[in-house]
Amino acid sequence: TSEQLLGDPAMWLAEHGDYLYRYAYMQLKDSSSAEDVVQETFLSAYRARSQFEGKSSLRTWLMSILRNKVIDLIRKKKREQIVEGGSIDTDPIIREQFSRLGIWKRWLNSWESSPEKLVEQ
């Protein structure tokens, strides 16, 4: 069974925690975030332990979960940076182009040219 292949979940941290943390820290450059994703990795692995088929080692399986958690966190931080990067109230370029409701102040009635000619220009 998958339970036998995985061993005692209480031992996962002792056996693999440092390895996973080093990988997460190298990717995220933040100890708190690295600790969080490692904890999330162990929690996700514990919840999905019945799905472990033993086609890889426990460490490889944990690393694949961790990599996905790290990627998810990096994507989330990127999205937050984009949202925080510019707001209608603080960014003069956005404020110039959009109303407070986020609607274009000036509509473009026509491209005045074909898309091909615009690309050439």
Side-chain angles (χ1 to χ4, degrees):
T1 67
S2 63
E3 298 285 331
Q4 293 169 332
L5 295 171
L6 292 172
D8 182 11
M11 298 302 297
W12 293 355
L13 180 61
E15 293 174 13
H16 306 288
D18 289 342
Y19 183 84
L20 297 175
Y21 174 80
R22 281 192 300 273
Y23 174 82
Y25 183 78
M26 284 175 36
Q27 299 301 312
L28 301 170
K29 307 291 190 256
D30 175 49
S31 60
S32 178
S33 295
E35 289 172 6
D36 289 345
V37 294
V38 170
Q39 285 180 340
E40 290 173 22
T41 297
F42 285 126
L43 185 58
S44 292
Y46 182 77
R47 288 179 179 154
R49 67 190 182 279
S50 64
Q51 297 171 10
F52 181 71
E53 297 176 354
K55 293 180 180 176
S56 63
S57 69
L58 172 60
R59 181 172 284 185
T60 301
W61 185 60
L62 291 171
M63 280 298 296
S64 68
I65 296 170
L66 177 65
R67 280 188 200 101
N68 288 325
K69 298 287 182 190
V70 167
I71 290 168
D72 289 345
L73 182 61
I74 291 170
R75 286 180 180 155
K76 180 182 176 192
K77 287 182 178 184
K78 291 283 185 197
R79 282 192 306 269
E80 289 172 356
Q81 285 176 346
I82 290 169
V83 170
E84 291 173 3
S87 79
I88 292 171
D89 296 328
T90 60
D91 191 321
I93 295 172
I94 293 175
R95 196 170 50 237
E96 179 182 307
Q97 300 296 324
F98 295 94
S99 73
R100 290 195 51 72
L101 298 174
I103 300 170
W104 285 95
K105 286 184 177 179
R106 183 177 65 98
W107 288 96
L108 184 60
N109 294 330
S110 166
W111 287 99
E112 299 178 12
S113 185
S114 71
E116 294 80 16
K117 289 191 181 199
L118 288 172
V119 169
E120 287 175 14
Q121 294 174 356

